[in-house]
Amino acid sequence: MAGRLIVVSNRIPTEGATAGGLAVALHDSLSGTGGIWIGAHPEVGPEESLFEIGDGPYQRLAFQLSRSEYENYYLGFSNCVLWPLFHRRSDLVVLKSAYLQEYLSLNRRLANMVAEVARPDDLIWVHDYHLLPLAHYLREQGVAAKIGLFLHIPFPALADLSILPDPSIFAEWLASYDLLGLQTQADTARCLEMYRADERAEFFQDGSIKFRDRLVRVKSFPIGIAVDAFQSLADYSTGNPFGAEQPQEYIIGVDRLDYTKGLPNRFRAFGEYLHDYAEGRRPSLIQIAPPTREVVEAYRQITEELEELSGRINGRYAELDWTPIRYIHRPIARDRLAGIYRGARACLVTSLADGMNLVAKEYVAVQIPDDPGVLILSRFAGAAEDMTDALLVNPYDIDEVAKAIDTALNMPAEERIARHRSCMAAVQATDVGRWTKHFLAALIASQGRLAISSGKHDRHSRIGEERPEPRQVKFQHVEKSI
Ligand code: GDG
């Protein structure tokens, strides 16, 4: 890698929190290049500049969100506009002009701070929907370094974008990146559809899009987990992860309590399974659902709905020595989680829309290969694009999910083993270490700015590195090349 890696995300990993797969995967690239991770931190710090937190093998620079930025940029535009819109829940979008204004001003403020530390040969890797316009503002600041974006959530449908006052801004923001990384090929197709509808965009045979004076490459990079590390967690989680009362037979669900995860239908389907199929069998559904974004109204509503549904189903079916749904509305330690996954006869993932869904991969990774449990996976999770041998279900169809629970719990060992082997191959192929390498290699290979630039803002004057324009072709050839 030429220069340093600079990762920018909404939140910076902190010592207190367990390191997630992404932080683990980026550790080597950051440490090896004297890299920097930049993100928001709850600590009080100076308002206009980045401040350093902690010691470590790479630098961590934090910025602070004001109360108003937290409300309008984070809760507002990021989580009451972009999150529902990108997850096909336009009905939950709340439009307020202050949301967009502060989303833009935070991104501009952050770009100014990042521009202070960035050098022309750095690679800047921006993460997720909170920071879509960051590259646009970095370019305004004259930053010429290569900038990539990875979007962890689904790319929206063109029709859904039209509920925004100015849907065309997305094409503009995103074209300031050199590389747009999306989770799936379906996301890539939706992104290309957006550019196809925009007369400012031209398409090239190598899969890039020319927009004004820039070339942007759009490609899918399905994210995965740190397979070996997660398997080790399950191996070393000794004893009974439940404590005293381990259920005999159980199905596991693990999700941040979010309306995109299809939890009410999951509970209904389990209730229907108990009614129609269980026949004397007494499996439990262990649902771990730590709270997130509770101050947003839509999250309050779903919390109430789940309490009501689990109460009703347990009231109807529970016995003195059996609780059908164990609904745990708080986080569980990661090593216990790995042990709980391993003992589950099935895992239920019922997302109505989901960028990837790492829970599906974690579950498969820790199964015992000669006696594995069965993954029941929504066809609307990104993971379904590769894990085609999971039991794929339509999460809107409660009957179908109830039937899939029955199929999973009665599946012969031979079929379980074959399905698991196939899903495990997908988990291995997308290991987060490989994923990081693929993304960074594609970013290094990306084309960047075209020769036609005026370069008037070009602080790092990289115009000398311009490349010839690729041959322009008709769009229908392009789709095949991606
Ligand atoms: C976004 C996209 C995409 C959950 N509860 C506990 C806990 N977790 C961990 C799981 C898993 C992670 O949280 C959830 O990851 P997902 O991928 O399922 O979902 P999002 O949080 O929505 O993530 C998603 C992902 O980004 C990556 O690109 O796949 O589509 O929405 O790792 O294990 N961990 C612990 N206790 C819990 O109670 N320790």
Side-chain angles (χ1 to χ4, degrees), residues 34-356:
I36 308 174
W37 192 316
I38 299 172
H41 191 273
E43 241 170 48
V44 177
E47 260 178 35
E48 286 310 317
S49 57
L50 297 168
F51 54 97
E52 189 145 5
I53 52 164
D55 291 326
Y58 60 87
Q59 208 180 7
R60 282 178 304 152
L61 296 177
F63 60 95
Q64 208 207 349
L65 293 179
S66 68
R67 182 81 220 151
S68 149
E69 282 169 341
Y70 177 74
E71 277 167 14
N72 293 309
Y73 144 80
Y74 177 73
L75 291 177
F77 199 75
S78 298
N79 287 313
C80 289
V81 179
L82 296 179
W83 180 270
L85 185 74
F86 283 32
H87 287 91
R88 293 175 226 135
R89 288 301 304 269
S90 313
D91 56 312
L92 296 176
V93 169
V94 180
L95 290 176
K96 287 188 188 173
S97 58
Y99 288 176
L100 178 59
Q101 275 163 24
E102 211 140 355
Y103 181 78
L104 295 177
S105 63
L106 179 281
N107 272 277
R108 186 185 284 119
R109 179 166 86 83
L110 178 58
N112 293 347
M113 295 189 285
V114 175
E116 291 299 320
V117 296
R119 300 178 197 147
D121 62 346
D122 287 336
L123 288 178
I124 303 178
W125 188 357
V126 179
H127 285 265
D128 230 356
Y129 61 103
H130 314 86
L131 303 177
L132 301 181
L134 192 73
H136 175 79
Y137 291 123
L138 284 168
R139 300 300 180 202
E140 267 190 9
Q141 286 294 310
V143 172
K146 286 185 174 170
I147 314 177
L149 172 77
F150 184 75
L151 184 66
H152 290 254
I153 65 175
F155 198 89
L158 183 59
D160 289 340
L161 282 177
S162 63
I163 73 157
L164 292 175
D166 181 8
S168 70
I169 50 174
F170 279 97
E172 198 142 349
W173 291 344
L174 297 181
S176 293
Y177 289 94
D178 299 288
L179 177 65
L180 283 182
L182 304 171
Q183 295 273 26
T184 64
Q185 289 176 29
D187 292 308
T188 303
R190 283 192 291 272
C191 181
L192 293 177
E193 188 196 4
M194 178 188 77
Y195 278 109
R196 197 184 325 179
D198 193 317
E199 57 190 23
R200 297 168 294 179
E202 294 168 48
F203 292 83
F204 290 83
Q205 193 166 33
D206 70 347
S208 353
I209 298 163
K210 176 175 172 287
F211 194 94
R212 302 227 164 98
D213 64 343
R214 299 203 58 85
L215 273 185
V216 58
R217 181 89 203 267
V218 185
K219 196 173 177 320
S220 72
F221 296 87
I223 198 171
I225 61 164
V227 179
D228 290 348
F230 200 68
Q231 284 175 335
S232 304
L233 267 188
D235 292 344
Y236 293 119
S237 113
T238 48
N240 171 4
F242 288 89
E245 203 201 335
Q246 168 138 17
Q248 291 273 312
E249 181 178 51
Y250 64 92
I251 299 162
I252 183 74
V254 179
D255 312 73
R256 284 181 308 97
L257 206 167
D258 196 290
Y259 51 80
T260 60
K261 305 289 183 183
L263 292 167
N265 273 7
R266 186 182 307 178
F267 282 14
R268 288 188 188 101
F270 186 67
E272 194 161 310
Y273 162 79
L274 294 177
H275 186 265
D276 291 347
Y277 298 96
E279 285 173 17
R281 220 168 165 151
R282 301 199 308 177
S284 292
L285 169 61
I286 312 287
Q287 178 61 54
I288 295 161
T292 47
R293 305 172 200 154
E294 281 179 306
V295 291
V296 174
E297 180 53 29
Y299 289 79
R300 269 194 224 137
Q301 284 175 12
I302 190 171
T303 304
E304 280 174 23
E305 190 179 1
L306 288 178
E307 280 166 9
E308 198 266 327
L309 270 170
S310 57
R312 189 154 22 108
I313 294 166
N314 281 341
R316 181 159 179 193
Y317 296 102
E319 292 174 20
L320 284 174
D321 58 349
W322 173 50
T323 309
I325 298 185
R326 291 201 202 172
Y327 167 44
I328 297 143
H329 186 37
R330 66 189 133 69
I332 296 288
R334 207 153 171 72
D335 52 345
R336 283 184 89 183
L337 196 60
I340 295 172
Y341 278 133
R342 182 166 278 178
R345 297 318 298 156
C347 175
L348 260 175
V349 174
T350 52
S351 318
L352 306 176
D354 212 335
M356 178 53 57

